[in-house]
Amino acid sequence: MSDVVERTLSVLPGLLGQHDPGVGPGGAGGPGRVSATSRLGSLIRSITALTSKHEEEKLIQQELTSLKATVSAPTTTLRLMKECMVRLIYCEMLGYESSFGYIHAIKLAQQGNLLEKRVGYLAVSLFLHENHELLLLLVNTVVKDLQSTNLVEVCMALTIVSQIFPREMIPAVLPLIEDKLQHSKEIIRRKAVQALYKFYLIAPNQVQHIHDKFRKALCDRDAGVMAASLHIYLQMIKENSSGYKDLTGSFVTILKQVVGGKLPIDFNYHSVPAPWLQIQLLRILGLLGKDDPRTSELMYDVLDESLRRAEINHNITYAILFECVQTIYTIYPKSELLEKAAKCIGKFVLSPKINLKYLGLKALTYVIQQDPNLALQHQMTIIECLDHPDPIIKRETLELLYRITNGQNVIVIVQKMLDYLKESKEEYAIINLVGKIAELAEKYAPDNEWFIQTMNAVFSVGGDVVHPDIPNNFLRLLAEGFDDRKEDDQLRMYAVQSYLALLEEEDALYPQKFLQVMSWVLGEYSSLVTDVDPEVILTKLHSLLKKTVITSETKMWIMAAVTKIASHTSCSKIVDRLIQEFSNSLDTCMRQYAFELKHLCEDKALMRNLLPFDGSCNDMVVDASLSFLDGFVAEGLGRGAAPYKPHHQRQEEKLSQEKALNFEPYGLSFVSSVSSSGVTGRQSPTGLSFGSDTSGNSAETGHKETNTLKLEGVRRLWGKEGYLPKKENKVGKENEPQTVSCGSLLGGQVGDPPALRSDQVASLSEEDKEKQQLASTLFIGLGSNAGVSLMGKADTATQKFKRKSKINETQSSEEASDFQNSAASDFGPLLDTVPINMEDCEGDIRTRLRKASLCSSDIVEDNLAFETPQSLKKSGLDDRLPDSRLSQSSLFADSNIEIFQPSQNAQCESASKTPLVPCLSEELEELTHSEVVELCQSDALALYLCKVWTDDSLLLVVFVSNKTTSALNAVNLVFEEAEHFQILESTAYQFPVIEAQNVECCQKRVWMDKICTQGILSGSVNYQSEMETRLEFSITLSLVDFIRPMEMTTEDFGKLWLSLSNDVKQNIRMSSSQDSLPAALSTLQQKLKLHIVDIIGNEGILACQLLPSVPCLLHCRTHSGMLALWFRSPCSALPDGLLYQCQKVMEES
Amino acid sequence: MINAILVFNNHGKPRLVRFYQHLAEEVQQQIIRETFHLVLKRDDHICNFLECGSLFGGSDYKLIYRHYATLYFVFCVDSSESELGILDLIQVFVETLDKCFENVCELDLIFHMDKVHHILQEVVIGGMVLETNMNEIVAQVEAQSKLEKAEGGLSAAPSRAVSAVKNINLPEIPRNINIGDINIKVPNLSQFM
């Protein structure tokens, strides 16, 4: 019954006026509910009736005030509260803040019954954000609900967790959510996976230990859960595809089964089996197969099948097709598939449906660099798209054309872009396109005239929204010029002439940036144009200055130009008038300029000296130490002035004084005003004053600054090298018109059979001919015989790809070296890259272990101790060592830090085995160090490494042993720059000579620069035997290598603890072997070199530092078999890294 | 990832607003306004994808929208989502609304804002697509509203009895019974099961 009323209510808005039933969903509501719902109704009604924004604001404010009163009244029932929340959500949606209600939303989620709770949770997820402090109040409720026996409550809790949850409270709910992965209901499992995905996003290292649970979710018996786990995998593979190559087979199998229709029928959407799932899987495959022939091979079949199966003519099949095509072009290519994909793209491009056309163009843009012929096939469609009524299609087409631009078609393409610009009003589109035009113009300009005209169009259409790089680059191009002096001057002259012509038009309005460019060029180069009287130019500039629309920044540019021109002319009436006019200007900057100009005009010689012609590119030597002021300073000090202290020092002193009250008013404002004036000075090149004669050419410094500003990331495109190919383009261009005029409209490059072409030509209407003409000009130089002209563009294309693949290369090489490195330390068989066979569960765990722990060799050994007898022996040795340790270094003063020190007989043993195995010098031998491991070998050389953990750094001792019977000369050892590590002193070392059968060693001190759990330091050795030989090696360094104990008292610890802000908390399970706190702590002390500061009851505090001196404090507490770790450090990444190491250590022991 | 889901009517009045990344209130309102202006300008017969420029800060965000009678449904997504996939997801969402409200119209969205949000939560959670199977979504939503009714009637009963009844009324979804039929088998990973 109530349903009927509800329908009536919602379908007939007209009834709303008289009818006030207010029966909410669910019907049988109490009296409070009725009134509340109708209040929402009346609120909405009155808002709809309003006409102005202002009235709405007033009404909502009223509403909010009454809501505020209601929610804070103690008599308000939860039911009424629920209705209030809905109204608050409505107000928030309209953009009115209702922060007073947030706490009540949390309360509702805590206390309400199911329905109220649901609204409470919803309101919380809409109102709050991840870092909101109130969110902490929700944690207990979530924990309670997760433990509830009521599935709906569990579901709600999981939903809120996967929408919004405070990062630092993850440990509180993580075990509960892990449990839910085993739940019998699939919806619960699915939401639990989703919640874990959320955790992975906000705190990846907190879910590191449950990666095997993700795998379990991936092979869940319910496809929905599996689909949810794909989100996690997509994310993880995006970050590190190499770690999941072993899953490729599984993903392929899943996709095969989905495509083959093995899923239950209710997964179908428009009779396509689970399309979204397919899309997700294709994405994952694309990421996995990228630049990897072996992995790609696994997926060719299934991709082929996907292409074949997706035949039903529905949107969603096109979605799958599009994804397929993208994947095929992303992975390692296979010609057969590429052909099919190309055909598919054709389907998209030619489709009458605009959405598909758009995607087709997008795909073309994507593949054009690999396959320019594809664009040729579809050239007529592309031409049609250029005139498409939908601006989005047009823009995508231009994007495509931008990718195929070369020296021959640049004019047409840029013209098309300018046409679009003139129609477009969207700022974003303009900025984007203007940047592209400028780039193309600089790269491919066929001649000066065209270049200047295009840039003029860019500046006048782009207006003041153009990226500041564009005018900067343009001016730099003009100023720096090329090798050919004459050419340079012609370009500059042309620019000057064109600007003079533009300024001729009296009432034309140009954007400020354009005017700035003009005035700079006129100032610098107007003297090149001999047939124009400088007086004329000055008049023009003068009239510009008087215009009101000119901003003061532009005025500065103009004044600078006037000054420069004045320096070349003897005397000028205009200049005098200008000085007169602006000497009493209200604008202080202008007044200053006028005075400067006045004084400079009085001393022409100085002026010419100060403003030399074409001096903008001369390198300026600036006396940064201000040595010419030394005398002045000495005199000042002699008179008893206080010595100068830098700003930060003053600040520190001030802080250290710690006054209760600040008695110095305006203390800081002076500082800020100084810095702000400094900033304005830098904004415009002319803003820098050249008032003080002693500082010389400071105006020129200003120019220099704009010229060099913001050049990072901008490629020099039309530089000294770029100009030569341009000339070749010209030659090419002269040839081109001939082919066109010969009647073959499509040009020789198109590659259609000639017969067909002539047929086409015959049947073409006039309009089509035009299009053909356009096509031939657009797609010129794209075919296989494009030759030189394509080089420029193709270059950038390949470079893009190169850069990408380079990253991959380094990654894979890192990986490879990783393996190599550990292979060198004797556990080869485990470390093959072949995906570990899944039937063997243990093998899988091993791989993971290996992945996680390839940091330092001794840890690896501990890991694998149970597998290789050799390392078993060693670890046994390790265990014995703490007792039988002979020497004690100052570094690890704690009595029981575990250090590998080969016992005497072990050394002898190894020494007798190979005579050339090196050992440490005596003084190093006393320090804690690792065993000597072999890094790499060749016929002549063998490299060994020993890590020595000194107090202030990690000392890498590299031994180079000469295995040959003759001496080796000039052996160079070079370390590559590594992202994470810093090698103190130099990265290279040369051994002048290594005698036969002899060992030399070199030592390098290393710090960790950027924190990572482990990283690779690679390097190479060069030596001259018969030929130049190079031997590469890499060293895996772990965070632990750089951790040193930090000794301090409990008191100091407390002080430091309070001053640190970066927190990481985590609970980890303790194994049975170390169930007491002291045992656990001594494990940490031994393995991680932490210093135990104090142990009180079930709490312990530890301290360590990352070299050189980043402290990290750790607070531990045990409760019921769990160890609660709480890290604090000034560096945010350090606690995360250490936490990871702790987890590992605790797991292992 | 889906960054935001906006529903507004032909006059730009927001009807459903859900952001999946935290943005200040003013920014959200500006996004709604600008999105509306971008979408309004477009005919019904041109493509449903739009680049939204720097609205969200980055450049690779896209608007994917559909226009139904008086309402615009706009999804703002980043480059990791498939355009056509999202386009059909909107369709799924709207069809689900239609099933839940029987002939959905703008007023349903206004007066049952909370319910619409709950339906949306079954489809998209935290910016990720959770479920695309319409029957499944409807089943979830219906199970919840069944519960609503049960609870409405029992609100006076002692709480213990309520929870007992709640447990009886647990949503039972037929899909779970057919577990044997689901043929997705991931070989090699079976030891985890």
Side-chain angles (χ1 to χ4, degrees), chain A residues 7 10 95 113 115 118 150 190 216 231 257 266-267 269 276 283 354-355 362 390 838, chain B residues 29 45 48 80 83 85 88 101 107 129 131 133 144 148 151 166 175 183 185 188 191-192:
Chain A
R7 295 295 332 150
S10 47
N113 63 22
L115 281 178
R118 193 153 69 123
N150 186 333
R190 196 142 49 102
K216 231 180 209 165
H231 289 312
Q257 294 182 51
D266 59 340
F267 278 95
Y269 175 76
W276 287 278
R283 287 252 149 134
I354 299 175
N355 286 338
K362 221 180 107 173
D390 187 352
M838 284 304 150
Chain B
Q29 289 303 316
H45 310 292
N48 299 58
S80 68
E83 287 96 339
D88 271 68
F101 288 106
L107 283 167
V129 182
E131 178 64 75
N133 181 349
Q144 286 176 4
E148 250 168 59
E151 182 148 312
K166 273 186 248 167
R175 183 156 85 165
N183 281 322
K185 286 186 206 107
N188 299 339
Q191 74 278 358
F192 283 113

Short mmCIF file of all heavy atoms in Angstrom, two decimals, chain A residues 7 10 95 113 115 118 150 190 216 231 257 266-267 269 276 283 354-355 362 390 838, chain B residues 29 45 48 80 83 85 88 101 107 129 131 133 144 148 151 166 175 183 185 188 191-192:
data_model
loop_
_atom_site.label_atom_id
_atom_site.label_comp_id
_atom_site.label_asym_id
_atom_site.label_seq_id
_atom_site.Cartn_x
_atom_site.Cartn_y
_atom_site.Cartn_z
N ARG A 7 4.79 5.75 -5.15
CA ARG A 7 4.86 5.91 -6.59
C ARG A 7 4.12 7.18 -6.99
O ARG A 7 4.61 7.98 -7.76
CB ARG A 7 4.24 4.73 -7.33
CG ARG A 7 4.90 3.41 -7.17
CD ARG A 7 6.29 3.33 -7.73
NE ARG A 7 6.54 4.24 -8.84
CZ ARG A 7 7.73 4.72 -9.07
NH1 ARG A 7 8.73 4.45 -8.26
NH2 ARG A 7 7.93 5.48 -10.10
N SER A 10 6.07 10.21 -6.27
CA SER A 10 7.24 10.55 -7.07
C SER A 10 6.91 10.80 -8.53
O SER A 10 7.59 11.56 -9.20
CB SER A 10 8.29 9.46 -6.93
OG SER A 10 7.67 8.22 -7.10
N GLY A 95 26.39 21.97 -1.97
CA GLY A 95 27.61 22.76 -1.75
C GLY A 95 27.60 23.56 -0.47
O GLY A 95 28.39 24.49 -0.33
N ASN A 113 20.16 1.29 14.81
CA ASN A 113 19.87 -0.06 14.36
C ASN A 113 20.30 -0.15 12.90
O ASN A 113 20.84 0.79 12.33
CB ASN A 113 18.39 -0.38 14.55
CG ASN A 113 17.50 0.52 13.71
OD1 ASN A 113 17.96 1.08 12.72
ND2 ASN A 113 16.26 0.67 14.11
N LEU A 115 19.11 0.06 9.90
CA LEU A 115 18.75 1.08 8.91
C LEU A 115 19.45 2.39 9.20
O LEU A 115 19.99 3.03 8.30
CB LEU A 115 17.24 1.32 8.96
CG LEU A 115 16.41 0.28 8.24
CD1 LEU A 115 14.95 0.62 8.40
CD2 LEU A 115 16.80 0.28 6.78
N ARG A 118 23.07 2.24 8.54
CA ARG A 118 23.39 2.29 7.12
C ARG A 118 23.47 3.75 6.65
O ARG A 118 24.39 4.14 5.94
CB ARG A 118 22.31 1.54 6.33
CG ARG A 118 22.69 1.28 4.92
CD ARG A 118 22.00 0.04 4.40
NE ARG A 118 20.57 0.28 4.27
CZ ARG A 118 19.91 0.12 3.12
NH1 ARG A 118 20.54 -0.26 2.04
NH2 ARG A 118 18.62 0.33 3.05
N ASN A 150 25.70 -10.68 12.21
CA ASN A 150 24.75 -10.27 11.19
C ASN A 150 25.48 -9.89 9.91
O ASN A 150 26.30 -8.97 9.87
CB ASN A 150 23.96 -9.08 11.71
CG ASN A 150 22.85 -8.69 10.78
OD1 ASN A 150 22.93 -8.94 9.57
ND2 ASN A 150 21.80 -8.11 11.32
N ARG A 190 34.03 -10.93 -1.46
CA ARG A 190 34.30 -9.94 -2.50
C ARG A 190 34.59 -8.57 -1.88
O ARG A 190 35.54 -7.88 -2.25
CB ARG A 190 33.08 -9.84 -3.41
CG ARG A 190 33.31 -9.18 -4.70
CD ARG A 190 32.53 -9.86 -5.79
NE ARG A 190 31.14 -10.06 -5.43
CZ ARG A 190 30.14 -9.28 -5.86
NH1 ARG A 190 30.38 -8.30 -6.67
NH2 ARG A 190 28.91 -9.52 -5.50
N LYS A 216 44.94 -16.53 -3.40
CA LYS A 216 43.81 -17.37 -3.07
C LYS A 216 42.53 -16.75 -3.62
O LYS A 216 41.68 -17.44 -4.17
CB LYS A 216 43.70 -17.48 -1.55
CG LYS A 216 43.59 -18.90 -1.07
CD LYS A 216 43.49 -18.87 0.44
CE LYS A 216 44.07 -20.11 1.05
NZ LYS A 216 44.30 -19.94 2.47
N HIS A 231 41.49 -6.19 -9.49
CA HIS A 231 41.82 -4.78 -9.23
C HIS A 231 43.19 -4.69 -8.57
O HIS A 231 44.02 -3.86 -8.94
CB HIS A 231 40.79 -4.15 -8.28
CG HIS A 231 39.45 -3.94 -8.91
ND1 HIS A 231 39.29 -3.34 -10.13
CD2 HIS A 231 38.21 -4.23 -8.47
CE1 HIS A 231 38.00 -3.28 -10.42
NE2 HIS A 231 37.32 -3.82 -9.43
N GLN A 257 38.72 -19.11 -20.49
CA GLN A 257 37.46 -19.68 -20.02
C GLN A 257 36.32 -18.67 -20.11
O GLN A 257 35.20 -19.02 -20.45
CB GLN A 257 37.62 -20.16 -18.59
CG GLN A 257 38.58 -21.32 -18.50
CD GLN A 257 38.70 -21.83 -17.09
OE1 GLN A 257 37.71 -22.11 -16.44
NE2 GLN A 257 39.92 -21.96 -16.61
N ASP A 266 24.46 -15.95 -15.88
CA ASP A 266 24.09 -14.63 -15.36
C ASP A 266 25.26 -13.65 -15.32
O ASP A 266 25.11 -12.51 -14.92
CB ASP A 266 23.40 -14.73 -13.99
CG ASP A 266 24.27 -15.40 -12.96
OD1 ASP A 266 25.20 -16.09 -13.37
OD2 ASP A 266 24.02 -15.21 -11.75
N PHE A 267 26.42 -14.07 -15.75
CA PHE A 267 27.51 -13.12 -15.91
C PHE A 267 27.44 -12.43 -17.26
O PHE A 267 28.17 -11.50 -17.53
CB PHE A 267 28.86 -13.83 -15.78
CG PHE A 267 29.28 -14.02 -14.36
CD1 PHE A 267 29.02 -15.18 -13.68
CD2 PHE A 267 29.93 -13.00 -13.69
CE1 PHE A 267 29.39 -15.35 -12.37
CE2 PHE A 267 30.32 -13.16 -12.37
CZ PHE A 267 30.05 -14.33 -11.70
N TYR A 269 26.33 -10.16 -20.30
CA TYR A 269 25.72 -8.85 -20.48
C TYR A 269 25.48 -8.71 -21.98
O TYR A 269 26.44 -8.75 -22.76
CB TYR A 269 26.66 -7.76 -19.97
CG TYR A 269 26.17 -6.35 -20.22
CD1 TYR A 269 25.16 -5.80 -19.45
CD2 TYR A 269 26.72 -5.58 -21.24
CE1 TYR A 269 24.71 -4.52 -19.67
CE2 TYR A 269 26.29 -4.29 -21.47
CZ TYR A 269 25.28 -3.77 -20.68
OH TYR A 269 24.84 -2.49 -20.92
N TRP A 276 33.27 -6.84 -18.62
CA TRP A 276 34.18 -6.00 -17.84
C TRP A 276 35.36 -6.80 -17.32
O TRP A 276 36.46 -6.31 -17.24
CB TRP A 276 33.41 -5.32 -16.70
CG TRP A 276 32.53 -4.24 -17.19
CD1 TRP A 276 32.89 -2.95 -17.47
CD2 TRP A 276 31.13 -4.33 -17.49
NE1 TRP A 276 31.82 -2.24 -17.94
CE2 TRP A 276 30.71 -3.05 -17.96
CE3 TRP A 276 30.20 -5.35 -17.43
CZ2 TRP A 276 29.40 -2.79 -18.34
CZ3 TRP A 276 28.90 -5.07 -17.81
CH2 TRP A 276 28.50 -3.82 -18.26
N ARG A 283 43.76 -5.75 -20.03
CA ARG A 283 44.66 -4.72 -19.51
C ARG A 283 45.87 -5.35 -18.83
O ARG A 283 47.01 -4.96 -19.05
CB ARG A 283 43.95 -3.87 -18.46
CG ARG A 283 42.94 -2.94 -19.00
CD ARG A 283 43.42 -1.53 -18.91
NE ARG A 283 42.84 -0.83 -20.03
CZ ARG A 283 42.26 0.35 -19.95
NH1 ARG A 283 42.22 0.98 -18.81
NH2 ARG A 283 41.76 0.92 -21.03
N ILE A 354 29.63 7.64 -33.60
CA ILE A 354 30.69 8.62 -33.31
C ILE A 354 31.61 8.16 -32.20
O ILE A 354 32.82 8.39 -32.25
CB ILE A 354 30.05 9.98 -32.97
CG1 ILE A 354 29.26 10.44 -34.18
CG2 ILE A 354 31.11 11.00 -32.66
CD1 ILE A 354 28.51 11.68 -33.95
N ASN A 355 31.04 7.49 -31.22
CA ASN A 355 31.89 7.01 -30.13
C ASN A 355 32.98 6.10 -30.65
O ASN A 355 34.12 6.18 -30.23
CB ASN A 355 31.05 6.24 -29.11
CG ASN A 355 30.21 7.17 -28.27
OD1 ASN A 355 30.54 8.34 -28.16
ND2 ASN A 355 29.14 6.65 -27.73
N LYS A 362 41.61 7.48 -31.69
CA LYS A 362 42.51 7.36 -30.55
C LYS A 362 43.49 6.20 -30.77
O LYS A 362 44.69 6.34 -30.52
CB LYS A 362 41.69 7.11 -29.28
CG LYS A 362 42.20 7.87 -28.10
CD LYS A 362 41.35 7.58 -26.88
CE LYS A 362 42.13 6.71 -25.95
NZ LYS A 362 41.51 6.50 -24.67
N ASP A 390 31.55 17.58 -34.33
CA ASP A 390 31.90 17.40 -32.92
C ASP A 390 33.34 17.85 -32.66
O ASP A 390 34.28 17.29 -33.20
CB ASP A 390 31.74 15.93 -32.54
CG ASP A 390 31.92 15.71 -31.05
OD1 ASP A 390 32.31 16.67 -30.37
OD2 ASP A 390 31.67 14.59 -30.58
N MET A 838 53.38 -24.10 -10.47
CA MET A 838 52.40 -23.86 -9.43
C MET A 838 51.97 -25.12 -8.71
O MET A 838 51.37 -25.08 -7.66
CB MET A 838 51.15 -23.22 -10.04
CG MET A 838 51.37 -21.78 -10.34
SD MET A 838 51.89 -20.97 -8.84
CE MET A 838 52.88 -19.71 -9.50
N GLN B 29 32.09 21.78 -6.12
CA GLN B 29 31.02 22.56 -6.74
C GLN B 29 31.45 23.10 -8.10
O GLN B 29 30.68 23.12 -9.05
CB GLN B 29 30.59 23.71 -5.82
CG GLN B 29 29.85 23.26 -4.58
CD GLN B 29 28.61 22.45 -4.91
OE1 GLN B 29 27.85 22.79 -5.80
NE2 GLN B 29 28.41 21.33 -4.22
N HIS B 45 23.69 13.78 -30.36
CA HIS B 45 24.14 12.81 -31.35
C HIS B 45 25.64 12.80 -31.54
O HIS B 45 26.15 12.22 -32.48
CB HIS B 45 23.47 13.08 -32.70
CG HIS B 45 21.99 13.20 -32.55
ND1 HIS B 45 21.20 12.14 -32.20
CD2 HIS B 45 21.17 14.27 -32.63
CE1 HIS B 45 19.94 12.54 -32.10
NE2 HIS B 45 19.90 13.82 -32.35
N ASN B 48 30.08 10.53 -26.69
CA ASN B 48 29.80 10.60 -25.27
C ASN B 48 31.05 10.76 -24.41
O ASN B 48 30.98 10.62 -23.21
CB ASN B 48 29.09 9.32 -24.81
CG ASN B 48 27.78 9.12 -25.50
OD1 ASN B 48 27.74 9.05 -26.73
ND2 ASN B 48 26.71 9.04 -24.77
N SER B 80 42.83 4.72 -16.81
CA SER B 80 42.86 3.27 -16.63
C SER B 80 41.49 2.63 -16.81
O SER B 80 41.35 1.44 -16.59
CB SER B 80 43.43 2.92 -15.25
OG SER B 80 42.54 3.33 -14.25
N GLU B 83 36.64 3.39 -21.99
CA GLU B 83 35.55 4.34 -22.25
C GLU B 83 34.23 3.64 -22.51
O GLU B 83 33.22 3.97 -21.90
CB GLU B 83 35.88 5.23 -23.45
CG GLU B 83 36.93 6.27 -23.23
CD GLU B 83 38.29 5.81 -23.67
OE1 GLU B 83 38.50 4.58 -23.78
OE2 GLU B 83 39.15 6.66 -23.91
N GLY B 85 33.45 0.65 -21.84
CA GLY B 85 33.05 -0.12 -20.67
C GLY B 85 32.28 0.74 -19.70
O GLY B 85 31.22 0.34 -19.19
N ASP B 88 28.75 1.60 -20.84
CA ASP B 88 27.77 0.56 -20.56
C ASP B 88 27.52 0.39 -19.07
O ASP B 88 26.45 -0.06 -18.68
CB ASP B 88 28.19 -0.76 -21.21
CG ASP B 88 27.65 -0.85 -22.61
OD1 ASP B 88 28.14 -0.07 -23.44
OD2 ASP B 88 26.73 -1.65 -22.85
N PHE B 101 13.28 1.06 -8.76
CA PHE B 101 12.24 2.07 -8.54
C PHE B 101 11.03 1.86 -9.46
O PHE B 101 10.08 2.62 -9.40
CB PHE B 101 12.79 3.48 -8.76
CG PHE B 101 13.72 3.94 -7.68
CD1 PHE B 101 15.07 4.02 -7.90
CD2 PHE B 101 13.23 4.30 -6.44
CE1 PHE B 101 15.92 4.45 -6.90
CE2 PHE B 101 14.08 4.72 -5.44
CZ PHE B 101 15.43 4.79 -5.67
N LEU B 107 12.42 12.44 -9.72
CA LEU B 107 11.95 12.59 -8.34
C LEU B 107 12.39 11.44 -7.44
O LEU B 107 12.63 11.63 -6.26
CB LEU B 107 10.43 12.72 -8.32
CG LEU B 107 9.96 14.10 -8.74
CD1 LEU B 107 8.47 14.08 -9.02
CD2 LEU B 107 10.28 15.13 -7.68
N VAL B 129 34.97 -0.59 -9.93
CA VAL B 129 33.74 -1.28 -10.28
C VAL B 129 33.68 -2.58 -9.50
O VAL B 129 34.59 -3.40 -9.57
CB VAL B 129 33.70 -1.57 -11.78
CG1 VAL B 129 32.40 -2.24 -12.14
CG2 VAL B 129 33.86 -0.28 -12.55
N GLU B 131 30.56 -4.57 -9.10
CA GLU B 131 29.62 -5.55 -9.64
C GLU B 131 28.98 -4.97 -10.89
O GLU B 131 28.59 -3.81 -10.91
CB GLU B 131 28.55 -5.84 -8.58
CG GLU B 131 27.47 -6.79 -9.00
CD GLU B 131 28.02 -8.18 -9.28
OE1 GLU B 131 28.32 -8.89 -8.34
OE2 GLU B 131 28.13 -8.54 -10.48
N ASN B 133 26.77 -7.09 -12.67
CA ASN B 133 25.68 -8.00 -12.96
C ASN B 133 24.39 -7.45 -12.35
O ASN B 133 24.24 -7.37 -11.15
CB ASN B 133 26.04 -9.35 -12.36
CG ASN B 133 24.97 -10.37 -12.62
OD1 ASN B 133 23.88 -10.04 -13.07
ND2 ASN B 133 25.27 -11.60 -12.32
N GLN B 144 18.28 -5.95 1.12
CA GLN B 144 18.39 -4.91 2.13
C GLN B 144 17.05 -4.26 2.42
O GLN B 144 16.72 -3.98 3.57
CB GLN B 144 19.40 -3.85 1.68
CG GLN B 144 20.82 -4.35 1.79
CD GLN B 144 21.81 -3.37 1.26
OE1 GLN B 144 21.46 -2.26 0.89
NE2 GLN B 144 23.06 -3.76 1.23
N GLU B 148 14.78 -3.91 5.71
CA GLU B 148 14.24 -2.65 6.18
C GLU B 148 12.82 -2.83 6.68
O GLU B 148 12.46 -2.40 7.76
CB GLU B 148 14.19 -1.68 5.00
CG GLU B 148 15.17 -0.55 5.10
CD GLU B 148 15.26 0.17 3.78
OE1 GLU B 148 14.21 0.67 3.32
OE2 GLU B 148 16.35 0.24 3.22
N GLU B 151 12.64 -4.83 9.79
CA GLU B 151 13.07 -4.06 10.94
C GLU B 151 12.04 -3.02 11.34
O GLU B 151 11.79 -2.79 12.51
CB GLU B 151 14.39 -3.37 10.63
CG GLU B 151 14.87 -2.60 11.81
CD GLU B 151 16.37 -2.59 11.84
OE1 GLU B 151 16.99 -3.64 11.69
OE2 GLU B 151 16.91 -1.50 12.01
N LYS B 166 16.81 -11.19 12.12
CA LYS B 166 17.71 -10.69 11.07
C LYS B 166 18.52 -11.82 10.49
O LYS B 166 18.75 -11.90 9.31
CB LYS B 166 18.65 -9.63 11.67
CG LYS B 166 18.06 -8.25 11.66
CD LYS B 166 19.10 -7.27 12.12
CE LYS B 166 18.71 -6.70 13.44
NZ LYS B 166 19.77 -5.98 14.10
N ARG B 175 23.18 -17.51 -6.72
CA ARG B 175 24.43 -17.76 -7.40
C ARG B 175 25.33 -18.70 -6.59
O ARG B 175 26.09 -19.47 -7.12
CB ARG B 175 25.14 -16.44 -7.64
CG ARG B 175 26.41 -16.59 -8.39
CD ARG B 175 26.75 -15.35 -9.09
NE ARG B 175 27.46 -14.45 -8.19
CZ ARG B 175 28.12 -13.40 -8.61
NH1 ARG B 175 28.13 -13.10 -9.88
NH2 ARG B 175 28.76 -12.63 -7.79
N ASN B 183 32.86 -22.66 -13.94
CA ASN B 183 33.95 -23.45 -14.49
C ASN B 183 35.27 -22.73 -14.55
O ASN B 183 36.19 -23.17 -15.18
CB ASN B 183 33.57 -23.92 -15.90
CG ASN B 183 32.65 -25.09 -15.80
OD1 ASN B 183 32.84 -25.94 -14.93
ND2 ASN B 183 31.62 -25.14 -16.63
N LYS B 185 38.46 -22.33 -13.65
CA LYS B 185 39.43 -23.08 -12.86
C LYS B 185 40.79 -22.50 -13.17
O LYS B 185 41.13 -22.29 -14.31
CB LYS B 185 39.41 -24.56 -13.26
CG LYS B 185 38.20 -25.27 -12.74
CD LYS B 185 38.31 -26.75 -13.03
CE LYS B 185 36.95 -27.37 -13.12
NZ LYS B 185 36.57 -27.71 -14.49
N ASN B 188 47.11 -24.93 -11.61
CA ASN B 188 48.38 -24.63 -10.96
C ASN B 188 48.23 -23.87 -9.65
O ASN B 188 49.14 -23.81 -8.87
CB ASN B 188 49.30 -23.79 -11.85
CG ASN B 188 49.63 -24.51 -13.11
OD1 ASN B 188 49.52 -25.73 -13.15
ND2 ASN B 188 50.02 -23.78 -14.12
N GLN B 191 46.38 -25.51 -5.19
CA GLN B 191 46.76 -25.87 -3.83
C GLN B 191 46.34 -24.83 -2.82
O GLN B 191 46.35 -25.05 -1.63
CB GLN B 191 48.26 -26.12 -3.73
CG GLN B 191 49.11 -24.89 -3.78
CD GLN B 191 49.33 -24.45 -5.22
OE1 GLN B 191 48.89 -25.08 -6.14
NE2 GLN B 191 50.03 -23.36 -5.38
N PHE B 192 45.97 -23.68 -3.31
CA PHE B 192 45.54 -22.64 -2.38
C PHE B 192 44.11 -22.81 -1.93
O PHE B 192 43.65 -22.13 -1.05
CB PHE B 192 45.70 -21.27 -3.02
CG PHE B 192 47.11 -20.82 -3.05
CD1 PHE B 192 47.77 -20.67 -4.24
CD2 PHE B 192 47.79 -20.56 -1.88
CE1 PHE B 192 49.07 -20.27 -4.27
CE2 PHE B 192 49.09 -20.15 -1.91
CZ PHE B 192 49.74 -20.01 -3.10
#
